[in-house]
Amino acid sequence: MKPDRTAVVLIEFQNEFCKEGGKLFAEVQDEIARQDTLKNAARLLQAARKEGCLVIHCPFVFDETWVQQHGVCGIIGEAAKVGAFREGEWGTEIIDELAPLESEPILSGKHALSGFKNTQLAELLEANAVRNVVIAGLLSNVCVEATARSAYDLGYRVSVIRDATAATSRATQQYVERETYPLLGGSLSVDQFIERLSPGQSPQNDG
């Protein structure tokens, strides 16, 4: 896996999910703790920066007009009810541990599930000749999965970093790791990702 052909997409590592006081923290805090999600995400980010991967931050910002126009319900509707991910609020900020560098793009316009919808992600990947899309973040079975499916459909080699993600339950996390991620190219641990970025690895990962 060549670093200069690899993008690491960090999805919704925001206070709303990741920090006490966040409106959705209670839903995921046990799994974040069990998976050591934030520590692993920080290790992932450090390795990606060191090796020269393209790092892309993908926060969610609630868009009330879009929700009303489309009659959106489900998980985004539930977020609306609790007032989560409102523009300009603390809960919508990216967590300090993964704070973007000035050189790292922060996608705007993500108010649906896939990181490609209404954002600049596709254009960034194309402009940087990316071949490998590596995904981490929250929730494993919602926005992470939706972004992975979109990347797969666009012809990218997709890897989800399973120990830098979290769902709302262990059963859900295990299900997506077992049943969903293999269909989209598979998942890696942070350690496996770092190994595949190292020189002299298997020729099958030369892209």
Side-chain angles (χ1 to χ4, degrees):
M1 191 184 291
K2 295 180 180 178
D4 62 354
R5 301 295 301 279
T6 300
V8 174
V9 183
L10 303 174
I11 298 177
E12 296 175 32
F13 284 105
Q14 293 163 267
N15 291 325
E16 214 77 283
F17 271 138
C18 300
K19 296 295 180 179
E20 188 170 356
K23 295 182 179 70
L24 301 175
F25 178 65
E27 302 295 324
V28 292
Q29 67 179 112
D30 291 344
E31 278 299 287
I32 286 176
R34 184 184 70 83
Q35 291 266 93
D36 214 357
T37 301
L38 303 187
K39 181 179 178 180
N40 287 326
R43 291 178 58 229
L44 170 67
L45 178 57
Q46 181 181 34
R49 286 171 172 168
K50 178 181 177 182
E51 298 298 332
C53 300
L54 174 65
V55 174
I56 301 173
H57 300 266
C58 186
F60 181 94
V61 179
F62 180 78
D63 185 324
E64 187 169 1
T65 300
W66 182 80
V67 168
Q68 291 178 349
Q69 287 176 344
H70 293 81
V72 174
C73 54
I75 191 168
I76 295 176
E78 292 302 312
K81 290 178 182 178
V82 299
F85 295 112
R86 301 295 174 148
E87 187 172 5
E89 294 189 358
W90 170 84
T92 306
E93 295 174 5
I94 294 171
I95 61 174
D96 291 342
E97 297 94 320
L98 304 180
L101 301 178
E102 288 188 9
S103 59
E104 293 171 353
I106 305 171
L107 300 180
S108 60
K110 185 184 185 301
H111 48 256
L113 302 185
S114 172
F116 287 86
K117 180 69 173 176
N118 304 313
T119 76
Q120 313 79 42
L121 182 53
E123 290 81 359
L124 278 169
L125 298 179
E126 184 175 355
N128 287 276
V130 167
R131 184 72 185 90
N132 310 297
V133 175
V134 176
I135 301 170
L138 298 105
L139 295 168
S140 303
N141 61 315
V142 185
C143 293
V144 170
E145 179 180 336
T147 304
R149 287 182 181 274
S150 296
Y152 180 86
D153 283 347
L154 290 169
Y156 292 100
R157 294 175 182 169
V158 178
S159 299
V160 177
I161 307 301
R162 57 182 177 269
D163 54 355
T165 64
T168 57
S169 71
R170 184 170 187 171
T172 300
Q173 181 72 25
Q174 291 175 333
Y175 178 85
V176 293
E177 289 181 10
R178 183 181 68 249
E179 302 292 341
T180 304
Y181 297 159
L183 302 177
L184 306 175
S187 64
L188 302 170
S189 67
V190 175
D191 288 338
Q192 289 171 329
F193 169 74
I194 293 171
E195 288 173 4
R196 293 198 181 190
L197 279 181
S198 300
Q201 294 305 305
S202 168
Q204 69 180 10
N205 298 312
D206 63 354

